[in-house]
Amino acid sequence: MGVRDWLNERLRYEAAQAFLEKKAVPVHRYAVTYYTGGVTLFFFVVQVLTGLLLLMYYRPASDAAFESVRLIIAKVRFGWLVRNIHVWSANAMVGAAVLHLAATFFSRAYRKPRELTWVSGVLLLGVTLAFAFTGYLLPWNTLAYFATKVGTEIAGDVPVIGRALMVLLRGGEDITAATLIRFFGIHVAILPALATVLLGLHLTLVQIHGMSRPISVRVRGEERFYPEFMLRDFIVWVVLLGGLAVVATLWPWPLGEKADPLAPAPAGLRPEWYFLFMYQTLRMIPGRIAGLEGEAVGVTLFALTGLALLLVPFLDCWAQREHKHPLFPALGAAAFAFVLLMTALALVAGM
């Protein structure tokens, strides 16, 4: 018995191969959007691999975190490259996840029987943003310290549970060493566990239900998922890996100065680009609205919008009947236009 037969007898991989060969991918003018999920998965894999390498040298303590990152950059062989790839791919992963969500939304790929695929995808986007938020503090530099202070204060504006949530995130009233340890634990243990479960569910559902066909779009034919589609997906991954290495080499992510809790907040402080629209919106909201605190109203509206996004497959009754209705695309376009406008205003205000 050869090695291949020995492995197949135990792993039954030929059954999986036969399943993938039978799986078909529709070919139409929007078929390129099918690759957005694979792109997001690629950046997640890069995050896991580079994160494991950084974990060998990083020290989650307020008096050692900054120095350990500086050691990775200056002393560890190719440490600077691994750290830059980790940071750049984290940003790219957020962008790819948003792009994948938009492609799924506007093609109405959330309709029956893919409701749970959509729900798991939206939850994965939330986990991705939580990864970005918790990872931002870990270098323990000035910008990360004060940006985290602002971000946790926004969490404190959530009605009823806001203060408890803020204390839970910070590990106390202020940003301290306890906050760093808490964020580190969430970043390397809780969120990876959640992501593994949700990603496993999401990919399983994608394999069960296959690729969705957009409503009223002429399908020109089909191609096999394996090997044709997977081969092109792999080529995209190789191109992205090369591009990521070039970006990480030519534009290193600055480490900045070590955080000093006693120092004043730097001028022009603002969150990372993916939270700018929330930051700008909360800045523009009046202090009091109908007797309620303005920021609390804004945070509540954002929470309700997130809930509505999660429930889109159950709200769009037209898509469930394979009918196109302009309401949901119009709402989606308005939401994206709002996010872009608020982000642009925040960038202009920070110049």
Side-chain angles (χ1 to χ4, degrees):
M1 179 183 292
V3 174
R4 181 174 178 175
D5 293 333
W6 188 89
L7 287 173
N8 183 52
E9 188 175 24
R10 284 150 184 82
L11 301 176
R12 302 290 184 186
Y13 67 85
E14 286 188 352
Q17 182 177 334
F19 170 77
L20 293 176
E21 286 176 342
K22 288 181 181 177
K23 185 179 173 184
V25 179
V27 178
H28 51 80
R29 58 180 173 171
Y30 301 123
V32 68
T33 59
Y34 292 144
Y35 294 96
T36 56
V39 170
T40 310
L41 179 62
F42 164 78
F43 288 120
F44 177 75
V45 172
V46 171
Q47 282 292 286
V48 172
L49 296 178
T50 54
L52 288 173
L53 293 173
L54 294 174
L55 198 57
M56 296 179 185
Y57 296 94
Y58 179 73
R59 297 170 64 189
S62 59
D63 59 347
F66 183 84
E67 285 75 10
S68 67
V69 177
R70 191 161 56 186
L71 174 75
I72 291 170
I73 296 172
K75 300 292 184 181
V76 177
R77 181 172 294 184
F78 296 111
W80 61 273
L81 183 60
V82 173
R83 188 246 175 185
N84 285 335
I85 288 178
H86 190 75
V87 179
W88 276 111
S89 66
N91 284 269
M93 183 177 165
V94 174
V98 172
L99 188 62
H100 183 49
L101 179 88
T104 307
F105 178 85
F106 287 108
S107 64
R108 298 177 176 84
Y110 48 74
R111 65 190 189 278
K112 181 182 177 181
R114 297 178 177 83
E115 296 95 330
L116 294 181
T117 312
W118 169 268
V119 170
S120 60
V122 173
L123 293 177
L124 276 171
L125 176 62
V127 170
T128 300
L129 292 174
F131 263 124
F133 182 64
T134 54
Y136 194 64
L137 178 66
L138 299 190
W140 199 248
N141 58 28
T142 302
L143 285 178
Y145 177 87
F146 286 102
T148 304
K149 191 172 184 178
V150 173
T152 50
E153 284 174 353
I154 292 175
D157 288 325
V158 176
V160 183
I161 63 169
R163 181 171 177 75
L165 181 61
M166 185 183 75
V167 172
L168 178 68
L169 285 172
R170 290 181 173 182
E173 295 290 338
D174 297 313
I175 305 291
T176 62
T179 314
L180 180 62
I181 295 172
R182 190 154 295 197
F183 272 44
F184 175 73
I186 295 172
H187 192 75
V188 304
I190 296 175
L191 291 177
L194 281 174
T196 302
V197 172
L198 289 171
L199 187 61
L201 174 64
H202 191 74
L203 294 178
T204 301
L205 291 172
V206 169
Q207 295 306 318
I208 291 174
H209 299 301
M211 308 293 195
S212 171
R213 302 179 183 212
I215 300 174
S216 303
V217 171
R218 188 172 68 85
V219 176
R220 298 194 298 269
E222 293 180 339
E223 66 175 356
R224 290 186 301 173
F225 181 80
Y226 176 84
E228 284 89 348
F229 185 84
M230 285 186 67
L231 180 59
R232 275 197 285 276
D233 223 6
F234 177 71
I235 293 173
V236 171
W237 283 34
V238 172
V239 172
L240 287 174
L241 183 60
L244 198 56
V246 170
V247 170
T249 303
L250 297 181
W251 292 281
W253 201 273
L255 177 58
E257 300 293 330
K258 184 176 180 178
D260 181 1
L262 300 179
L269 179 69
R270 61 189 184 196
E272 286 295 284
W273 61 271
Y274 33 84
F275 291 128
L276 273 181
F277 74 99
M278 295 179 65
Y279 170 74
Q280 183 65 22
T281 304
L282 294 176
R283 282 184 61 188
M284 295 176 67
I285 288 180
R288 305 292 294 179
I289 300 176
L292 301 173
E293 191 175 340
E295 286 199 356
V297 173
V299 171
T300 303
L301 289 176
F302 279 124
L304 292 175
T305 304
L307 180 62
L309 183 67
L310 190 71
L311 299 177
V312 158
F314 310 101
L315 298 174
D316 189 355
C317 54
W318 297 284
Q320 299 294 357
R321 299 195 295 269
E322 296 291 316
H323 291 163
K324 290 180 70 174
H325 193 283
L327 176 62
F328 276 80
L331 290 175
F336 271 95
F338 174 79
V339 170
L340 291 177
L341 176 63
M342 289 296 110
T343 302
L345 289 175
L347 290 174
V348 170
M351 289 181 178

